[in-house]
Amino acid sequence: MLKKSTKTTTSLLILVAGGLLALTSHAQELANSAAESGEQAQKTTLVKDVEPLPLWELGVSAFALSQQAYPGSDTYVNRVLAVPYFLYRGEHFRIDRGNTGYRAIKTPRFEFDVGFAGALGSSSDKIAARRGMERLGNLIEFGPRFKWNLSDPEANGRWRFELPLRAVFDLSNSFKRKGYTLEPEIEFERRAFGGWRYSTGLSAVFGNRQMAETFYQVRPDQVLPDRGAYQAKQGLISWRMSAFISHSYTNNFRVFSGVRLDSVVGAANENSPLVKRKTSPSVLFGLTYTWMRSDRPEFE
């Protein structure tokens, strides 16, 4: 039974990988088409995908998000939000898309920063597998990240390897520490003419025992007829495959979408009774409006 499940999941991963490559290829074709047909319009439109981005931006972002409650869950956390945003791309202090923190070192090939990441929480009464257990709060991660550019930032895009090491805290429980994660990732990113920007990535999330217990531990006092006791183990938490694409239509409007596939196949806690679905996607759609921006360019 396990071999059949693994084979099915592997096939699904292959299909998703093919879909991500197709998405990248399609985005590149659209970007090239936009560049050829809109070269003259590009001269009069401030779409900063290839030029340096503004030093700061102020606006509002609205998005819809659907993600797993935790890797291996069959329950989704769904949110629709509209929030103001502020981006700042200074020489050291950065608040940018997917990059918030302090950049200590930057060379053409290597970068070192200290930053944040996060995940939405969910009440246990909304997760059938965790009924009667502690709530999964809103988690925030903080720590250093190493980045190596594996290729030059040419028109065909850039390959990059990232290695973030972060401590995890529960915002819903007085910043209680939940453990540590390490997530090596290989990523391809391209900013193209015509307002297109896209990226794909593959990573593996590792966690210490405390981090694993947050998601997969079942204590003896939490045992139910359909939920046996389980001692969580440190090691691989999940595999992740992601794709992101965005397009700036005008000087102020940008739409974006992304998909991420999480899989616990082969993970250290694959056999936890709290694992109900071994491979699942998360999706994101959104729109941003930039109200004000700096005339000064960002610090590269």
Side-chain angles (χ1 to χ4, degrees), residues 168-223:
V168 183
F169 301 90
D170 188 346
L171 289 177
S172 308
N173 189 13
S174 303
F175 284 88
K176 181 179 180 180
R177 185 165 57 84
K178 291 292 185 177
Y180 299 92
T181 63
L182 179 69
E183 186 178 356
E185 178 180 16
I186 182 98
E187 180 187 48
F188 174 78
E189 180 183 36
R190 185 177 184 221
R191 290 190 298 182
F193 287 100
W196 290 98
R197 180 177 182 176
Y198 56 89
S199 64
T200 61
L202 177 65
S203 67
V205 184
F206 297 88
N208 67 343
R209 181 169 172 175
Q210 186 181 11
M211 187 73 248
E213 289 175 349
T214 300
F215 296 138
Y216 306 114
Q217 180 92 340
V218 181
R219 300 192 308 266
D221 62 310
Q222 297 172 330
V223 170

Side-chain angles (χ1 to χ4, degrees), residues 108-211:
R109 288 292 181 184
F110 175 76
E111 187 173 333
F112 170 72
D113 62 24
V114 180
F116 297 87
L120 297 175
S122 181
S123 301
S124 292
D125 58 358
K126 297 180 180 179
I127 307 175
R130 294 183 58 88
R131 62 191 183 278
M133 302 180 68
E134 294 86 354
R135 179 182 187 273
L136 290 177
N138 296 314
L139 302 179
I140 186 170
E141 303 176 7
F142 173 77
R145 177 175 59 174
F146 303 88
K147 297 192 291 187
W148 288 269
N149 293 321
L150 305 180
S151 62
D152 295 325
E154 298 176 350
N156 291 328
R158 175 167 60 188
W159 288 94
R160 181 166 57 203
F161 176 75
E162 298 189 3
L163 187 65
L165 173 63
R166 288 171 173 153
V168 183
F169 301 90
D170 188 346
L171 289 177
S172 308
N173 189 13
S174 303
F175 284 88
K176 181 179 180 180
R177 185 165 57 84
K178 291 292 185 177
Y180 299 92
T181 63
L182 179 69
E183 186 178 356
E185 178 180 16
I186 182 98
E187 180 187 48
F188 174 78
E189 180 183 36
R190 185 177 184 221
R191 290 190 298 182
F193 287 100
W196 290 98
R197 180 177 182 176
Y198 56 89
S199 64
T200 61
L202 177 65
S203 67
V205 184
F206 297 88
N208 67 343
R209 181 169 172 175
Q210 186 181 11
M211 187 73 248

Side-chain angles (χ1 to χ4, degrees), residues 8-121:
T8 301
T9 305
T10 302
S11 299
L12 179 58
L13 287 172
I14 293 173
L15 289 174
V16 172
L20 294 178
L21 291 175
L23 175 63
T24 300
S25 176
H26 181 58
Q28 184 168 350
E29 291 175 3
L30 290 174
N32 291 338
S33 177
E36 293 173 0
S37 62
E39 182 176 355
Q40 184 62 35
Q42 185 76 9
K43 296 179 180 179
T44 59
T45 302
L46 180 63
V47 178
K48 290 185 177 273
D49 283 71
V50 176
E51 304 172 26
L53 296 168
L55 177 64
W56 58 264
E57 297 178 51
L58 178 64
V60 63
S61 179
F63 61 90
L65 169 69
S66 181
Q67 68 176 35
Q68 279 184 290
Y70 58 90
S73 174
D74 59 356
T75 301
Y76 276 77
V77 178
N78 303 307
R79 295 285 190 276
V80 178
L81 298 172
V83 294
Y85 77 86
F86 175 72
L87 304 179
Y88 182 78
R89 306 177 180 95
E91 183 177 6
H92 296 294
F93 183 62
R94 313 276 291 187
I95 304 176
D96 204 354
R97 304 179 184 102
N99 181 18
T100 299
Y102 180 80
R103 186 172 69 184
I105 300 173
K106 186 179 189 310
T107 71
R109 288 292 181 184
F110 175 76
E111 187 173 333
F112 170 72
D113 62 24
V114 180
F116 297 87
L120 297 175

Side-chain angles (χ1 to χ4, degrees), residues 2-12 265:
L2 180 59
K3 291 182 179 179
K4 182 177 180 181
S5 175
T6 302
K7 182 178 180 181
T8 301
T9 305
T10 302
S11 299
L12 179 58
V265 173

Side-chain angles (χ1 to χ4, degrees), residues 220-239:
D221 62 310
Q222 297 172 330
V223 170
L224 295 176
D226 61 342
R227 186 175 69 201
Y230 182 80
Q231 176 60 59
K233 300 181 287 290
Q234 67 179 8
L236 178 64
I237 299 292
S238 69
W239 301 96

